[in-house]
Amino acid sequence: MTWKEKLAGQIPPAWAEEIDIYETQLELRKLGKIDEKLFAETRLRRGAYGQRYDNGQRFDGFRTQQLRYPKAGLTKGPDTEWDAPGMQRIKIPFGGLNPTQLETLADVAEEYSDGILHITTRQDFQLHFVHIEDTPTIMRRLAAVGITTREACGNSVRNVTACPLSGVCRTEAFDVTPYAKALTFFLLGHPDTQDFGRKFKPAFSGCEDEACGLVHMHDFGAVAKIQDGRRGFKVFVGGGLGAVPYQAKVLAEFLPVEELLPTAQAIARVFARLGEKQNRARARIKFLVDKLGIEEFKRLVFAERQTLPPDPRWTQFPPIEEKPIQPPGSLPAEQPPGFPAWLATNVYRQRQSGYATVTVACPLGDITATQARQLADLVRRFSGDNVRTSVEQNLLIRWVSEQDLPALYAELQRIGLGEHGAGTILDMTACPGTDTCKLGIASSRGLARELRARLAGQFFTLDEAVKGLKIKMSGCFNSCGQHHLADIGFYGNSRTIGNHKVPHFQVLFGGQWTHNAGRYGLAIGSVPAKNIPAVVERVTGRYVNERQPGETFPAFINRLGKAEARRMIEDLMQVPPYEQDPTFYSDWGDPREFSMGDIGTGECAGEVVSALQFELSAAERLNFEAQLAHEAGQFAKADELAYGAMLQAAHGLVRELWLDVPHEPAVVVAEFKTRLAGLFPAAQAAYLYKRHEGAPAATAEAVHRLIEEAQLFIEGAHVCADKLQQQKAAARDAILKK
Amino acid sequence: MITHKIGIKFFFTGPATKPLAEYIPVFHGWIRRQALAGHLLIDVHDYSHVHHGPGILLVAHEANLSVDEAEGRRGLVYLRKQPARPPEILAAARQAVTLLGEPVEPTFEVFVNDRLAPVTAADLGTALGASLTPKPVDPRARPTFLATVSR
């Protein structure tokens, strides 16, 4: 029995069909019938991402080895070996999970990955070392418990994040969860989100002053606000980290909740129409907002909003009902050893009296499959159904009765998840870095592991002001570790000393986590990786000794000034000669001599594949399936598929000129005739008209001819698509020049 | 036919006093020499920060190997990913543990990393040439057996 057979009927039909299509695309790629770039973007939009060394090369410390995979020559993207291990990203909207989902995640981590669930800085999970051919099964097993991986990567709307305390927070305006969920499923697969030049990341916060959803660093951010008794959002657009960080701009001071989804849709249309498609480094929406100016961007968005056909989903916000399993209670007097320290850092008292939210600190965002199952048991026993992931790579158990806190702590200790220090200097955030990322320069996880080990031993003797600092690190300037937002941030880079490369980290001080990522840190200087622990020790020591009463770390750094901050660590920037100390020439946790040779081509930017190209690819797939049906003697089915292939191609072309074209064949054909008569080769267009107006092909010969004609129609569509794309680019340039 | 998705764990004898990090250069050395016959060794991953986790992981195309600490017992896990017959899997696991040079206990653990695979202790034992008894585990965990070589 296969998982597809076992789970039949348990997966939402639309999701099941999508995964079947994806599986067919895998087979077509193996047959060489899908271009590698198109396949790369296809798998990225299903969350299947490349991983380090997937170009078939790896530096072993002495030389670059060729990794000779069995299916040599077959690729799953440009310069990406088919058999090379990859990563599967799994979207968790607003970080919300239930115990059954946690158990399924554990099972797939064990069976197809390395037994580890990794929580990302955007509330996703990632599985590493996954074979591409296992991905459809992973997707089916997750879909059966309500999890989709669709649009987890690629040029799409990524996971919609939200403050993990939404609904239980003491300072929020209201619970943003229903709105985050509604936006997730409204934009998921929406035709208006299929033509982006880069990814698009939304976030929600319940209040403006806390860290919450970090909306200022997002492409789209919404902060809950109540005005004149009405619920709405302060909406931000055009924020982002990456190599060039931008603070988001205010799109609307107050947008009533019923305007949230249509406004997001209008933004998507403007971004798809005017966003950069060629230069990947400037294709995020932050560059478009910057180029147009926020006032012009606003004007375009609200003008677009007026053109949108009404959609009933705009006002559907299904309530999220969380029911605690235990009655509220008070903290018992009897407490196990270690409990007070854990209580101080890992427990948040909810606004609902007698309940608390517990942060389960997951070191470097990792938990084992076994721990995930054990945690599912604890959630059922102490909470009910209510787990959330956090952007600090932890798990939160909500609705824990305060009387159960000591017992829950004891159980977490038993399963190795009872570490104190959540949200403190011990709770570091690190992206995968050189461990698995193709773009990683230095080992962010290796550094985090080292710093954690050093600080854990002295945590109880640290000054209280230091305990509360945040350290975040990324393996490169792309900021997946959110280093800009930390009191002390690092990102990996490299310097050449003599004939050797030395791993370094750029040091940033004074970023602001609160106020939704209110301020980005200042780059101070690049320090060899092996001296970073000394940087932490020195700057925290100076903060303890020189801070003024009540002075925060960012304020202290601001007062100190960039020049003095640099002077403080200048001696640590020096690298001893290789002959004197070769340890500087390898990275944390990696004994190989450091090299930049393993850096590959990143897939964060995806491949630029337009929505039209996807429709044409779908048309080709349908026509291929028509051939298979014809071979099997299923002539009626083959006829339907070949006809469907022409309609799909025609729909894609018409949609370039009319975004809201429906899929009804009569409308598609009529609009095709009207709008594309001068652009599409007439002889090939006639094949569509003939089949649309005539009877279905019934004999083997007639169906065979129809399939040939459909193929010619698709060829014509490709030619026409080029012309349309040129027209579109010219129109875009004209608007941007104006 | 018995699934190839079989894991074998050889338990190290004695207490686990050696820091896990010491296995990192060992595995890098294996990759440099491509020391495990019949395997394309790819990368090393450090999970030493995870409680009772995979410890230090060596990823190959054919299998994942790890100095594993599940249930607090250190040992070498060989987890097959690509098709092979059970005796070949056991031989590869033995090859790896010999190469590592750690003394191991005579009893080892076998688990089936496929929740759909219909496997009995008798069938799997026959295929491996070992005597298998089911190990009581969480019903959600993978079917697991304790094994001794019978021939």
Side-chain angles (χ1 to χ4, degrees):
Chain A
M1 179 186 268
T2 64
W3 281 104
K4 184 175 177 179
E5 291 161 349
K6 185 176 170 68
L7 298 173
Q10 296 177 46
I11 302 175
W15 288 12
E17 188 186 353
E18 285 170 10
I19 299 168
D20 288 349
I21 289 172
Y22 170 66
E23 194 164 47
T24 303
Q25 286 165 321
L26 248 76
E27 292 306 314
L28 289 173
R29 177 64 202 143
K30 283 161 78 174
L31 294 170
K33 290 183 179 294
I34 293 185
D35 165 73
E36 63 176 5
K37 281 189 178 177
L38 180 66
F39 180 73
E41 183 62 16
T42 299
R43 67 172 163 77
L44 286 167
R45 291 197 190 187
R46 305 267 359 148
Y49 211 84
Q51 208 175 285
R52 204 165 178 89
Y53 315 123
D54 67 8
N55 60 358
Q57 293 186 0
R58 181 182 182 275
F59 183 67
D60 67 11
F62 293 90
R63 66 189 176 91
T64 295
Q65 279 192 12
Q66 300 300 315
L67 301 172
R68 300 191 192 286
Y69 292 103
K71 293 192 185 76
L74 177 60
T75 60
K76 50 188 175 183
D79 211 16
T80 308
E81 295 279 333
W82 185 263
D83 279 324
M87 178 265 276
Q88 177 67 54
R89 186 175 293 149
I90 300 162
K91 273 172 130 174
I92 307 294
F94 60 88
L97 278 173
N98 61 44
T100 305
Q101 291 172 328
L102 204 48
E103 288 167 335
T104 302
L105 284 161
D107 290 353
V108 296
E110 235 167 27
E111 290 184 44
Y112 310 106
S113 173
D114 56 9
I116 291 286
L117 285 163
H118 175 71
I119 304 163
T120 76
T121 54
R122 293 204 74 259
Q123 296 180 300
D124 299 298
F125 280 100
Q126 284 182 186
L127 307 178
H128 293 105
F129 306 109
V130 172
H131 196 284
I132 185 74
E133 291 181 32
D134 287 329
T135 54
T137 303
I138 293 173
M139 291 169 197
R140 284 194 183 99
R141 293 177 71 174
L142 293 171
V145 292
I147 296 174
T148 178
T149 66
R150 185 169 182 183
E151 294 167 6
C153 309
N155 301 321
S156 58
V157 179
R158 301 293 186 87
N159 195 31
V160 176
T161 57
C163 169
L165 294 174
S166 302
V168 299
C169 171
R170 296 191 301 267
T171 54
E172 68 186 359
F174 56 85
D175 182 4
V176 298
T177 313
Y179 307 97
K181 187 173 183 180
L183 186 77
T184 296
F185 291 102
F186 176 66
L187 294 182
L188 184 72
H190 194 291
D192 290 338
T193 64
Q194 304 304 305
D195 219 357
F196 294 166
R198 281 298 302 268
K199 57 192 168 186
F200 184 85
K201 296 176 175 176
F204 282 79
S205 278
C207 36
E208 198 152 5
D209 294 340
E210 305 295 331
C212 287
L214 308 173
V215 299
H216 290 152
M217 51 152 274
H218 278 83
D219 298 283
F220 175 89
V223 180
K225 195 170 175 180
I226 291 179
Q227 189 169 297
D228 301 328
R230 288 179 81 190
R231 281 187 174 194
F233 292 96
K234 183 173 181 179
V235 174
F236 294 82
V237 71
L241 298 181
V244 189
Y246 281 66
Q247 284 274 337
K249 308 284 186 300
V250 179
L251 183 87
E253 281 292 342
F254 183 81
L255 206 59
V257 290
E258 59 274 16
E259 276 301 305
L260 181 74
L261 271 53
T263 304
Q265 187 182 350
I267 292 171
R269 283 192 173 193
V270 171
F271 181 41
R273 189 167 71 239
L274 300 179
E276 173 64 46
K277 298 285 200 305
Q278 302 306 319
N279 181 355
R280 318 313 317 286
R282 299 191 67 80
R284 293 285 292 272
I285 199 169
K286 62 188 178 185
F287 295 106
L288 180 63
V289 172
D290 189 54
K291 187 165 191 169
L292 292 169
I294 187 64
E295 292 308 318
E296 175 62 5
F297 186 82
K298 261 190 220 178
R299 190 191 66 75
L300 288 166
V301 166
F302 290 112
E304 190 72 42
R305 162 68 188 93
Q306 297 311 312
T307 70
L308 297 177
D311 189 325
R313 293 175 297 172
W314 286 348
T315 50
Q316 289 171 5
F317 305 110
I320 309 286
E321 286 185 29
E322 290 185 326
K323 290 182 185 154
I325 196 81
Q326 302 293 347
S330 309
L331 198 59
E334 197 175 328
Q335 299 172 355
F339 179 79
W342 178 81
L343 180 72
T345 55
N346 294 44
V347 176
Y348 175 87
R349 292 216 151 85
Q350 297 185 187
R351 75 159 184 270
Q352 296 86 359
S353 177
Y355 287 104
T357 291
V358 167
T359 298
V360 179
C362 303
L364 308 191
D366 293 339
I367 60 167
T368 66
T370 302
Q371 285 175 318
R373 278 192 285 272
Q374 292 168 327
L375 200 59
D377 291 339
L378 297 184
V379 172
R380 287 194 180 100
R381 178 176 154 198
F382 291 105
S383 165
D385 225 10
N386 315 305
V387 190
R388 298 223 181 165
T389 54
S390 78
V391 297
E392 293 195 277
Q393 302 179 293
N394 291 323
L395 287 162
L396 276 69
I397 307 177
R398 297 148 60 98
W399 293 99
V400 178
S401 174
E402 288 194 20
Q403 70 186 355
D404 289 336
L405 287 170
L408 175 56
Y409 170 69
E411 288 294 315
L412 288 171
Q413 283 281 315
R414 182 180 62 79
I415 66 172
L417 288 172
E419 250 183 45
H420 64 87
T424 71
I425 196 166
L426 290 183
D427 191 13
M428 288 165 211
T429 305
C431 71
T434 50
D435 274 18
T436 51
C437 176
K438 291 165 85 165
L439 293 174
I441 296 174
S443 178
S444 40
R445 278 166 64 91
L447 175 61
R449 202 179 289 112
E450 180 66 24
L451 289 175
R452 270 172 50 82
R454 291 181 186 221
L455 288 165
Q458 46 180 295
F459 185 75
F460 291 111
T461 59
L462 287 175
D463 188 277
E464 283 303 315
V466 171
K467 280 183 187 170
L469 297 183
K470 290 198 182 289
I471 300 181
K472 296 178 186 292
M473 58 211 81
S474 305
C476 73
F477 50 78
N478 283 305
S479 315
C480 299
Q482 301 173 345
H483 53 259
H484 294 286
L485 314 181
D487 294 292
I488 304 171
F490 305 109
Y491 72 82
N493 56 21
S494 159
R495 296 288 182 265
T496 303
I497 307 290
N499 294 323
H500 302 274
K501 300 276 182 205
V502 181
H504 276 63
F505 281 91
Q506 177 64 240
V507 174
L508 294 94
F509 288 150
Q512 193 179 38
W513 174 251
T514 52
H515 296 274
N516 278 293
R519 202 177 76 158
Y520 299 153
L522 296 171
I524 303 298
S526 195
V527 173
K530 293 295 168 74
N531 274 344
I532 293 295
V535 168
V536 173
E537 195 175 333
R538 193 171 293 180
V539 72
T540 54
R542 188 128 177 215
Y543 175 51
V544 169
N545 292 329
E546 298 180 19
R547 74 194 171 101
Q548 294 170 352
E551 191 174 37
T552 63
F553 187 80
F556 167 71
I557 289 296
N558 204 30
R559 180 168 61 79
L560 202 63
K562 194 170 176 176
E564 179 55 27
R566 186 182 172 89
R567 257 195 301 280
M568 176 172 46
I569 61 168
E570 209 145 33
D571 61 311
L572 297 173
M573 295 179 184
Q574 307 308 312
V575 182
Y578 184 83
E579 296 70 25
Q580 191 181 320
D581 191 350
T583 62
F584 275 75
Y585 296 77
S586 62
D587 211 339
W588 289 111
D590 189 339
R592 291 174 295 167
E593 181 166 329
F594 182 71
S595 162
M596 294 280 283
D598 288 332
I599 296 174
T601 306
E603 294 189 332
C604 303
E607 296 290 343
V608 183
V609 179
S610 67
L612 175 54
Q613 283 170 292
F614 273 113
E615 289 221 50
L616 296 182
S617 171
E620 300 214 37
R621 177 180 49 76
L622 287 171
N623 211 38
F624 179 74
E625 287 175 7
Q627 289 174 43
L628 298 180
H630 180 263
E631 273 176 25
Q634 299 168 324
F635 301 130
K637 183 180 175 187
D639 167 84
E640 256 322 292
L641 285 163
Y643 174 44
M646 287 193 281
L647 285 171
Q648 180 96 52
H651 181 271
L653 293 170
V654 173
R655 196 174 180 280
E656 288 293 293
L657 303 167
W658 178 29
L659 283 175
D660 298 309
V661 59
H663 279 273
E664 280 95 38
V667 180
V668 171
V669 174
E671 293 294 330
F672 179 83
K673 270 185 187 169
T674 311
R675 294 171 186 263
L676 291 152
L679 285 170
F680 200 95
Q684 280 127 299
Y687 298 137
L688 172 65
Y689 306 150
K690 186 176 74 175
R691 172 59 186 83
H692 177 69
E693 287 154 13
T699 65
E701 191 184 351
V703 172
H704 185 268
R705 195 180 316 118
L706 180 70
I707 292 170
E708 295 292 334
E709 289 170 352
Q711 193 56 49
L712 289 171
F713 183 87
I714 294 167
E715 300 302 336
H718 278 285
V719 174
C720 186
D722 288 342
K723 294 178 189 169
L724 285 173
Q725 301 275 20
Q726 284 167 16
Q727 285 181 1
K728 207 170 159 183
R732 173 184 169 275
D733 290 347
I735 291 172
L736 291 178
K737 271 181 194 156
K738 195 167 66 181
Chain B
M1 188 170 139
I2 295 213
T3 178
H4 64 270
K5 295 181 178 178
I6 293 171
I8 293 172
K9 180 170 180 177
F10 288 108
F11 298 105
F12 296 172
T13 55
T17 51
K18 191 194 269 192
L20 274 172
E22 290 188 17
Y23 294 99
I24 295 174
V26 174
F27 282 161
H28 277 286
W30 288 19
I31 296 174
R32 195 164 57 247
R33 305 192 311 277
Q34 289 294 326
L36 204 60
H39 293 73
L40 174 64
L41 305 180
I42 301 169
D43 197 17
V44 183
H45 211 72
D46 183 354
Y47 283 125
S48 59
H49 53 280
V50 179
H51 176 77
H52 292 179
I56 308 299
L57 175 71
L58 171 62
V59 178
H61 173 69
E62 294 77 9
N64 283 351
L65 296 96
S66 56
V67 177
D68 175 274
E69 299 209 303
E71 297 177 334
R73 291 187 73 188
R74 187 175 290 184
L76 182 76
V77 166
Y78 178 95
L79 175 55
R80 188 75 192 184
K81 299 188 289 189
Q82 293 295 325
R85 294 184 304 113
E88 293 167 346
I89 296 169
L90 183 56
R94 284 201 185 288
Q95 182 198 354
V97 82
T98 303
L99 194 61
L100 194 64
E102 296 284 357
V104 295
E105 294 177 3
T107 300
F108 56 97
E109 195 172 278
V110 179
F111 56 92
V112 181
N113 195 34
D114 181 347
R115 286 173 172 78
L116 279 188
V119 175
T120 64
D123 290 347
L124 186 55
T126 304
L128 285 169
S131 171
L132 263 56
T133 51
K135 180 180 170 185
V137 290
D138 181 333
R140 297 164 297 182
R142 300 170 288 200
T144 304
F145 308 90
L146 290 174
T148 48
V149 173
S150 54
R151 63 170 189 267

